[in-house]
Structure formats: structure tokens, C-alpha cells
Amino acid sequence: QDLEDGDCISIRTSHNRYLSATEDGTLEGNGILVGPWEIFTVQATENGKFAILTNGDKYVADEGNAFVADRSEASLWEQMTFELHGDEGSGEGTIAIQGGQGSYLSVTND
């Protein structure tokens, strides 16, 4: 299933936890269940990429060495590419999210 503008998503990590955006803009990969802080809205950009908006109305940004969720608008660093790895037809598989500076979103299991 392709992403569309306005879709709400949750992001499950390879550690079987959900990505959360905290009020201070920190992204954490420790959510056990999907609640309000684990739901993101994708917004299509003009160049075919997506901005990721948190429940706190902040955009996720690629700062090169880290991803944060503290931006008020979606500029270049906030434009993400979603790369599907797996069986597109079944809706199964994994995704990689590449940020506006070319970094990939990764989550550690702390």
C-alpha cells in the first residue's frame, strides 16, 4: 500500500517497539503500544517525498547526526524518503526512512 498525503502511521522498530515523539522534540524507540505520541501524519511534498508530522504538531528533521521532532515547518531537512524492502503486494516487509540530509532513521535498543 502506497503512502498518501494525510495518512496516519505508526513506526515499529526492528526491536519491536514503536517510535515516539516527546514534547521536547526527542524521538525515542521505546513505545510498547501505539498511543497518541506514537502516531505520525505524513504530508506529501512537491518533490515526491514526505514530511512527518508528530501529534504535537512538529515536523521530524534530519540533522545529519540525529533525527529530532521540533520543527515548525517542513523545509529540506524535514523531507523524507520511504524505501520499501519486502513484498509490496502483500503490505508486508520493512521500510527505511531517509532524511533530507541523506541520513537514515535508526533506533537503538537502550
Side-chain angles (χ1 to χ4, degrees):
Q1 176 180 352
D2 291 334
L3 281 178
E4 294 185 14
D5 186 48
D7 280 352
C8 290
I9 64 170
S10 57
I11 301 169
R12 189 172 58 200
T13 73
S14 60
H15 307 292
N16 209 27
R17 300 293 175 131
Y18 290 94
L19 188 68
S20 302
T22 65
E23 290 183 71
D24 69 359
T26 303
L27 290 171
E28 299 176 344
N30 59 6
I32 297 170
L33 301 172
V34 175
W37 296 108
E38 291 79 27
I39 296 174
F40 301 87
T41 303
V42 293
Q43 295 180 342
T45 63
E46 293 178 8
N47 59 1
K49 296 183 179 186
F50 289 93
I52 302 173
L53 184 65
T54 71
N55 188 39
D57 288 324
K58 297 292 182 181
Y59 289 96
V60 175
D62 172 9
E63 292 191 327
N65 61 347
F67 281 74
V68 295
D70 63 358
R71 298 305 202 289
S72 298
E73 59 184 48
S75 297
L76 290 177
W77 291 5
E78 294 76 32
Q79 295 181 24
M80 311 291 165
T81 301
F82 286 73
E83 300 174 3
L84 179 64
H85 301 272
D87 184 2
E88 286 187 46
S90 71
E92 296 293 323
T94 59
I95 60 166
I97 300 174
Q98 186 178 27
Q101 291 204 60
S103 300
Y104 284 90
L105 178 63
S106 63
V107 178
T108 59
N109 190 19
D110 292 338

